[in-house]
Amino acid sequence: MLKLTVKPGEYLMIGSEIKLVFTGGSARNLRILVDAPRSMNVARSSSLEKYGMAADPGNEVKYQKERELSDEAKEKIKGILMEERRRARAEKRA
C-alpha cells in the first residue's frame, strides 16, 4: 500500500487511464475526482460493505447514474483541469 501527502490540485495517475485529482477537504473529509473509463468499476467501500461484496473481480457493483453536477461544480472542475494542463505544458517547455 502506498501512503501519500497531496495538496489541492495535485493528482495521481494509475496506469495511463485513471486519474485521481485531489480537490481539497477538511479534517474529516477528502474530496477527489476520479477520471476513469466507464469500463472500469469504481465503487465506494461503503457500497461494497452494504451489499456484502468484496472488492474482487466478479463482485462489481453496477454503475448507478449520479445526480447532475451543479454549474458551479462543473466550473470548478474545469478550472482545476485547465490549471493542470497549463502546468503540464509549462513543465514540457522547461
Side-chain angles (χ1 to χ4, degrees):
M1 182 172 290
L2 175 65
K3 181 180 179 180
L4 300 170
T5 302
V6 294
K7 297 176 184 163
E10 289 186 326
Y11 63 91
L12 303 172
M13 292 297 299
I14 300 174
S16 61
E17 295 184 320
I18 301 171
K19 183 176 186 178
L20 301 175
V21 182
F22 173 65
T23 61
S26 64
R28 296 190 54 164
N29 293 299
L30 171 70
R31 289 188 307 271
I32 59 170
L33 302 172
V34 179
D35 183 14
R38 280 218 185 253
S39 62
M40 299 294 301
N41 185 41
V42 178
R44 290 176 179 246
S45 59
S46 58
S47 295
L48 295 172
E49 292 165 3
K50 179 178 178 181
Y51 296 106
M53 302 177 92
D56 295 322
N59 287 341
E60 290 87 5
V61 175
K62 300 300 179 194
Y63 174 76
Q64 298 291 322
K65 186 172 181 171
E66 296 287 331
R67 62 183 167 88
E68 187 68 23
L69 292 173
S70 69
D71 290 337
E72 181 183 351
K74 288 178 185 177
E75 286 300 315
K76 188 171 186 177
I77 292 167
K78 183 178 175 182
I80 290 169
L81 294 175
M82 287 175 64
E83 180 59 33
E84 286 300 318
R85 287 183 192 125
R86 272 187 244 133
R87 189 178 296 146
R89 278 190 236 121
E91 288 175 5
K92 282 184 181 178
R93 285 184 232 152

